[in-house]
Amino acid sequence: MFAWLDISIKDIIDILLLAVFLYYAFTTMRYSGSRSLFMGIIAFLGIWLLISQVLQMRLMGALLDKFINIGFIILVIIFQDEIKKILVTIGSAQRWRKIRRFFREGSAKEQEEEDYIAPVVLACMNMARKKTGALIAIQGTSDLTPYQHAGERFLASVNARLIETIFFKNSPLHDGAMIIAGGKICAAGCILPVASDTDLNKDLGLRHRSALGLSQKTDAKIIIISEERGTISLAYRSEIIVDITPDELRALLSSED
């Protein structure tokens, strides 16, 4: 019935690989604010295929072919930051750890959550109750090393009491951000980029703007403890989720999306 469809296993793999590439490209463009530009490029490619390959219009096809020939160089220039993010995502150690988890028992994941997430949630719950302001950036696939250099670098296990001590009001590091990477506290007192969004809620202070600024540039999850209201918020993928409970924070930190 479908004899005209000459599709081999190699063709199916080819289509699946293209779909995965487009998915990661679309996701990266979506969070970096370049989604409309990316969709415009996809539409242009569709028009080029229609004119050159299906309708076989010679003049328009030849003109569009010229654009396609230099298009790769133009794309590298326009999307150099996004291309870097895609390559970092593909080559990140965390990405490969997610693949290895398929071959590990569930207890290993639970132990990892207990060693790293539980102390962070406990510290945030205590600081929110005491109305102690805090800013904690948890590294994802994006490298946060450049931001670590802006503060005091050290290496320590994630411990609730240590986190609370660093953000104690009389501590010299309490005004900056703490960075957690690889399940360890790597730096404190760090300066983060501040978001300049004009439509951001005026009630949100500098900590929230700094968290949003970092979330626009990386895929880190940034926890904000409000000193004025004693609430917990989380910035991720250019969005801020405000006034969350400790249980909701645990779920968001455990999520791999």
Side-chain angles (χ1 to χ4, degrees):
M1 181 177 179
F2 298 101
W4 57 275
L5 288 175
D6 187 16
I7 299 178
S8 63
I9 297 297
K10 183 173 69 175
D11 296 326
I12 295 176
I13 295 175
D14 189 21
I15 294 172
L16 290 176
L17 289 176
L18 178 61
V20 170
F21 171 78
L22 291 177
Y23 168 77
Y24 277 110
F26 176 78
T27 302
T28 302
M29 301 301 174
R30 173 189 175 187
Y31 293 126
S32 65
S34 303
R35 180 173 59 177
S36 298
L37 185 57
F38 177 73
M39 295 305 297
I41 293 173
I42 296 297
F44 177 80
L45 291 176
I47 295 173
W48 170 68
L49 290 173
L50 178 64
I51 291 177
S52 299
Q53 307 299 322
V54 179
L55 301 179
Q56 296 184 349
M57 296 180 178
R58 295 183 179 180
L59 292 178
M60 282 297 299
L63 179 62
L64 294 178
D65 287 342
K66 296 296 182 181
F67 282 104
I68 293 297
N69 290 337
I70 63 173
F72 179 77
I73 299 176
I74 296 175
L75 289 179
V76 170
I77 296 174
I78 295 177
F79 295 115
Q80 53 182 326
D81 292 335
E82 285 76 8
I83 291 174
K84 181 180 178 180
K85 289 181 182 178
I86 292 174
L87 294 177
V88 169
T89 300
I90 294 174
S92 68
Q94 181 173 346
R95 184 66 60 182
W96 293 107
R97 283 200 298 270
K98 290 179 182 179
I99 296 176
R100 290 199 299 269
R101 282 176 184 169
F102 285 106
F103 304 97
R104 295 167 56 188
E105 296 182 359
S107 59
K109 182 177 180 180
E110 293 174 2
Q111 184 63 41
E112 179 180 342
E113 178 180 334
E114 181 181 351
D115 292 343
Y116 144 62
I117 296 179
V120 171
V121 174
L122 177 60
C124 291
M125 182 175 63
N126 292 336
M127 290 188 294
R129 186 177 66 252
K130 299 174 184 177
K131 291 189 176 181
T132 300
L135 189 59
I136 304 173
I138 301 173
Q139 180 172 289
T141 58
S142 303
D143 187 16
L144 298 183
T145 302
Y147 304 102
Q148 295 179 25
H149 289 295
E152 295 294 330
R153 301 192 66 184
F154 58 94
L155 191 63
S157 298
V158 179
N159 180 280
R161 183 169 297 179
L162 175 59
I163 295 175
E164 293 179 52
T165 300
I166 290 175
F167 287 109
F168 183 68
K169 292 182 180 181
N170 293 331
S171 169
L173 300 176
H174 81 281
D175 277 336
M178 173 186 292
I179 294 180
I180 297 176
K184 301 287 184 180
I185 300 175
C186 297
C190 302
I191 300 173
L192 304 183
V194 178
S196 57
D197 301 50
T198 57
D199 57 345
L200 191 63
N201 191 330
K202 302 300 182 183
D203 293 334
L204 301 181
L206 182 59
R207 284 193 179 93
H208 291 81
R209 289 184 176 275
S210 297
L212 182 60
L214 184 64
S215 72
Q216 292 172 342
K217 296 179 178 295
T218 70
D219 64 345
K221 295 180 179 180
I222 308 98
I223 306 170
I224 313 103
I225 309 297
S226 173
E227 189 172 355
E228 292 77 16
R229 300 187 303 276
T231 56
I232 304 174
S233 302
L234 181 78
Y236 181 58
R237 300 291 194 183
S238 302
E239 296 180 358
I240 289 185
I241 307 174
V242 298
D243 299 345
I244 59 177
T245 66
D247 288 337
E248 290 172 336
L249 176 62
R250 181 189 297 274
L252 290 169
L253 294 180
S254 301
S255 174
E256 297 178 359
D257 295 333

